[in-house]
Amino acid sequence: MIARVHCAALMGIDAFRVDLEVDLARQGMPAFTMVGLAEGAVKEAKERVFSALKNSGYRLPPSRITVNLAPADVRKAGSAYDLPLAMALLGAAGVVDAELMKGWYFAGELSLGGEVKPVNGMLPLALEARSQDCRGLIVAPENADEAAVVEGLEVYAVKNLSSVVGFLTGEESMQPHSVDTDDLWAGRQDFGLDFSEVKGQEHAKRAIEIGAAGNHNILFIGPPGSGKTMLAQRIPTVLPSLVFDEALEVTKIYSVAGQLDRDKALMVYRPFRSPHHTISDAGLIGGGAYPKPGEVSLAHRGVLFLDELPEFKKNVLEVLRQPLEAGNVTISRAAMSLSYPADFMLVAAMNPCPCGYLTDDRHPCTCTPVAVRRYASRLSGPLLDRIDLQVEVPAVDYRDLKEGGGVNSATMRSSIERAREVQSLRYKDLPILTNSELSGSSLEKFCGLTEAEHSFLEQAVRSLGLSARAYTRILRIARTIADLAGDDNIQVPHLAEAINYRSMDRQNG
């Protein structure tokens, strides 16, 4: 007898429908065969499922069992196929009427005792189930909140295999699991950090305000102890809040990567990722034998902070160029090609020299000029080309430590949100979200200058030896400064401030 149940497999951060078919033939020697490009954990499901069935009180007749995972030409991985395989076996053996399982989706790992355990990637699986107009989705209790976030889908949480059988046969009643999305968003602005805690560094705070308003990448350059890391950690507190669609997108990434807390049904904060400088290129970008999202994808819609930037391996830094430009990462393997979103704000920090005290008047620098140049050369021109704001962060003066912290996060965030609204209206008919994406004809259209501004900028380019790429960055930054000021047109003061944020161009131009 043949039985068929529905489940889903992951490809990137999305899922696709899989039909799990089981045929039990009484002729021939007992055997078990699984086809359909099943990977290691899927093949191992046989041992877990047979033990779970036995320990749950179900007996299968000796038979030749063939399992097919369709479509058969796409790789399937993970342990989410345990529950659907067990139900298909029960249907094929006649223990459960196969008609009762039609239209249901199943996802869950089974313990040897028959308990249903959670799996990764539940949100994309639930979205795929809803798109197929299924009767409902049956999952482990730990996955229920995450799946129930998807509106229009009935989700049932089951503790063990016997409960699933009892529910389908009508012997056990269950209510669809629900989650209050309003509660998920409650307190999402309670970061525990605030810019008012940062003493001094008003110039750096202003640069952060500009960077967050236009989604510009930022590089902090300063001696140890000047507050570079402290500033970076507070950037998420001033970024606009995630909207629901963005939260779903971020949650899918964390769910697939296995980094979503079981007690959190939805990621409501913008992520902040800070990998160590010993990270590999696969860890940063994603990949592996079974590709998973890397740090750039885990920072999607949030901040990727790279402290001690020159200490990262050169090949690791160079692979950042493509996601910074495209907003996504493509990982190619012989059997498949996967794409992960990676639209993040890059925030990096570095010392001005190997010892760190080149720009600090209170500590003598012990580095030779050759060592300083070698240190700076670890960052390639193409990478620096993608960082709009290059901000010098000096050592904090004692008077600043004694006084208050200045502007707080709420004030900065209010100004940033107004600037983002201006950009949203300006680019509503274009595939552009923020000023950092301006280039080519759009740069000329929205960053037009009068003769006075052209004259000022030309003089600055000539006198400071600025490059062509610096010219483009200055226009983008000036456009954001104008938006923060509520000005429709870029003016000389906006250009003058923008030039101050291209310190490395001034040094190397």
Side-chain angles (χ1 to χ4, degrees), residues 195-275:
F195 269 107
S196 62
E197 300 164 347
V198 180
K199 305 297 180 68
Q201 305 298 10
E202 297 303 319
H203 175 68
K205 291 181 186 178
R206 171 62 175 171
I208 289 172
E209 184 178 23
I210 296 169
N215 200 36
H216 302 286
N217 300 319
I218 304 176
L219 172 62
F220 294 124
I221 308 165
S226 57
K228 303 185 295 295
T229 301
M230 191 175 184
L231 288 163
Q233 289 173 339
R234 283 154 179 77
I235 291 178
T237 69
V238 300
L239 292 174
S241 301
L242 287 171
V243 298
F244 186 72
D245 287 344
E246 289 178 325
L248 280 180
E249 197 172 20
V250 174
T251 304
K252 284 167 65 176
I253 298 171
Y254 276 74
S255 180
V256 168
Q259 297 202 26
L260 183 67
D261 292 341
R262 296 299 183 194
D263 59 348
K264 291 184 179 178
L266 197 67
M267 290 282 293
V268 296
Y269 292 96
R270 290 192 181 271
F272 179 88
R273 304 295 298 187
S274 180

Side-chain angles (χ1 to χ4, degrees), residues 11-14 124 245-257 271 273 284-286 292-302 304 322-331 338-345:
M11 181 172 287
I13 64 166
D14 296 311
D245 287 344
E246 289 178 325
L248 280 180
E249 197 172 20
V250 174
T251 304
K252 284 167 65 176
I253 298 171
Y254 276 74
S255 180
V256 168
R273 304 295 298 187
L284 187 65
I285 297 299
K292 283 192 173 184
E295 290 292 333
V296 297
S297 296
L298 294 171
H300 182 63
R301 303 298 184 192
L304 176 66
Q322 189 259 340
L324 283 173
E325 195 72 27
N328 61 66
V329 171
T330 300
I331 301 171
L338 301 177
S339 182
Y340 294 113
D343 186 4
F344 56 90
M345 178 181 175

Side-chain angles (χ1 to χ4, degrees), residues 28 41 106 137 171 181 238 270 348 390 430:
F106 302 88
L137 175 63
E171 298 174 2
T181 54
V238 300
R270 290 192 181 271
Q390 301 161 0
L430 298 171

